[in-house]
Amino acid sequence: MAYAVVFGCIVVLGLPLNAASLWILIQRHRLKSPSAVFMINLALADLLLVLSLPMRVYYYATGTWSLGVIACVGISSLFSNNIRASAIFITFIGVDRLLAVVFPLRSRHLRNTTNSWKACGLVWISLVALSIPESVGISRLMQDCNLTTCFHPERFPCVKKQIPPSLKYVHSCSMLTLLAVNCIATSMVSWKLRSHLSDSVQVNKMNVMLIFATNLLMFFIFFLPVSLVLSVEKWRNAVEPALCLACINCCFDPLLYYFSLDSFWNKKEDDEPNQNPQPVMIR
């Protein structure tokens, strides 16, 4: 019942926050910069994650699942894919800021909306492709074990013995890789801002470092626990609490990320690359 309360609170808080964030980003920024594209996709991933939670609230509140294996696997796939998507798009935003600060001139041809949409499209396609074998494998295991529960088949011995290692560790490896990328990006930007920032780039240092500090906090607080409990066999009983923590991230993205940035409310994005070399303001 405690999980039902937690997931219910996430739905109540996260649904309006992410819907409002998505609307503001689309209406005010209108896809005019790479940052806006990544933020819109992040807000969309968080919104889809929230929309997958009402069935979890129902399951944990009643203790029963009567919608069948296909519905369980489909909702589980939507849930896990959008946790991964959130982590990926948070990383993309950090990498975009890294290119803008550390390689402002050499990255101009890369930092455009076309390439940003291509990268986002590749992410969504890859996540769907990854979810297909996972969904097929888990549905077969649930049918073979005659499970009548949902969302935590890893608890059952007959499932533990049959889950391929590639499926058990893919989430952990991907999250740890993204965390490493964020740590490297933060170090490079911090080093650049301290002593090697080019005069051709004007930077609001506080906002730039706020982005990277927020990204690292997101990973260490919300995403890293899930990676650890999935990697260590004796911690598998802590999967549900770790997933609850990962879901809470979708409520903090609008509060700690979007609304902490001045550019969130500005209609014009100043960091959009253009053809004429001139100082670039990184917000």
Side-chain angles (χ1 to χ4, degrees):
M1 190 64 183
Y3 295 128
V5 173
V6 173
F7 285 125
C9 291
I10 295 173
V11 172
V12 171
L13 184 60
L15 184 60
L17 282 176
N18 285 287
S21 297
L22 186 60
W23 183 86
I24 291 171
L25 286 166
I26 293 175
Q27 290 296 316
R28 291 179 176 269
H29 294 268
R30 299 185 185 279
L31 312 180
K32 291 183 178 180
S33 74
S35 295
V37 172
F38 294 138
M39 283 187 179
I40 287 171
N41 280 272
L42 175 58
L44 177 61
D46 288 338
L47 187 59
L48 291 174
L49 175 62
V50 172
L51 293 176
S52 73
L53 297 182
M55 288 295 97
R56 285 182 177 262
V57 174
Y58 163 79
Y59 170 72
Y60 285 113
T62 62
T64 60
W65 183 260
S66 58
L67 300 180
V69 173
I70 294 178
C72 176
V73 172
I75 294 170
S76 298
S77 178
L78 183 65
F79 176 84
S80 59
N81 278 348
N82 285 288
I83 288 180
R84 293 167 182 162
S86 295
I88 292 171
F89 291 130
I90 287 173
T91 304
F92 277 7
I93 293 170
V95 171
D96 176 66
R97 299 294 84 189
L98 166 68
L99 294 175
V101 174
V102 180
F103 309 106
L105 299 179
R106 283 182 286 177
S107 66
R108 281 183 178 275
H109 67 287
L110 294 175
R111 295 185 60 249
N112 56 63
T113 55
T114 300
N115 288 337
S116 299
W117 276 114
K118 288 179 180 178
C120 292
L122 181 61
V123 168
W124 290 114
I125 292 172
S126 300
L127 290 174
V128 172
L130 176 64
S131 68
I132 293 174
E134 286 186 345
S135 299
V136 172
I138 293 175
S139 63
R140 287 178 178 174
L141 292 174
M142 293 180 69
Q143 291 172 343
D144 293 342
C145 296
N146 295 318
L147 301 182
T148 58
T149 58
C150 188
F151 302 133
H152 46 64
E154 69 281 345
R155 283 184 172 184
F156 297 85
C158 67
V159 175
K160 286 183 180 180
K161 296 177 181 179
Q162 300 178 56
I163 295 179
S166 58
L167 293 183
K168 290 168 63 176
Y169 299 112
V170 64
H171 181 87
S172 301
C173 291
S174 61
M175 286 296 176
L176 292 175
T177 300
L178 293 174
L179 175 60
V181 171
N182 278 278
C183 290
I184 294 171
T186 301
S187 300
M188 292 180 66
V189 170
S190 177
W191 169 76
K192 187 72 173 182
L193 291 179
R194 283 202 309 267
S195 57
H196 295 81
L197 187 63
S198 171
D199 293 336
S200 64
V201 180
Q202 301 173 10
V203 175
N204 185 326
K205 295 183 180 181
M206 182 65 70
N207 277 358
V208 171
M209 290 312 301
L210 177 62
I211 293 173
F212 288 96
T214 303
N215 286 359
L216 288 180
L217 284 174
M218 294 288 187
F219 273 88
F220 279 109
I221 296 175
F222 300 117
F223 298 132
L224 186 59
V226 178
S227 302
L228 294 177
V229 299
L230 290 177
S231 301
V232 182
E233 188 70 31
K234 64 181 180 181
W235 292 351
R236 288 297 175 90
N237 290 333
V239 168
E240 284 93 343
L243 289 176
C244 286
L245 195 59
C247 287
I248 295 174
N249 169 73
C250 71
C251 298
F252 280 85
D253 278 338
L255 292 174
L256 296 182
Y257 194 87
Y258 301 133
F259 292 105
S260 65
L261 301 177
D262 294 336
S263 62
F264 180 77
W265 294 107
N266 294 342
K267 290 185 178 181
K268 182 178 180 181
E269 285 281 352
D270 294 327
D271 62 342
E272 172 68 7
N274 52 55
Q275 302 299 320
N276 300 319
Q278 59 182 359
V280 179
M281 179 68 75
I282 309 297
R283 294 187 183 271

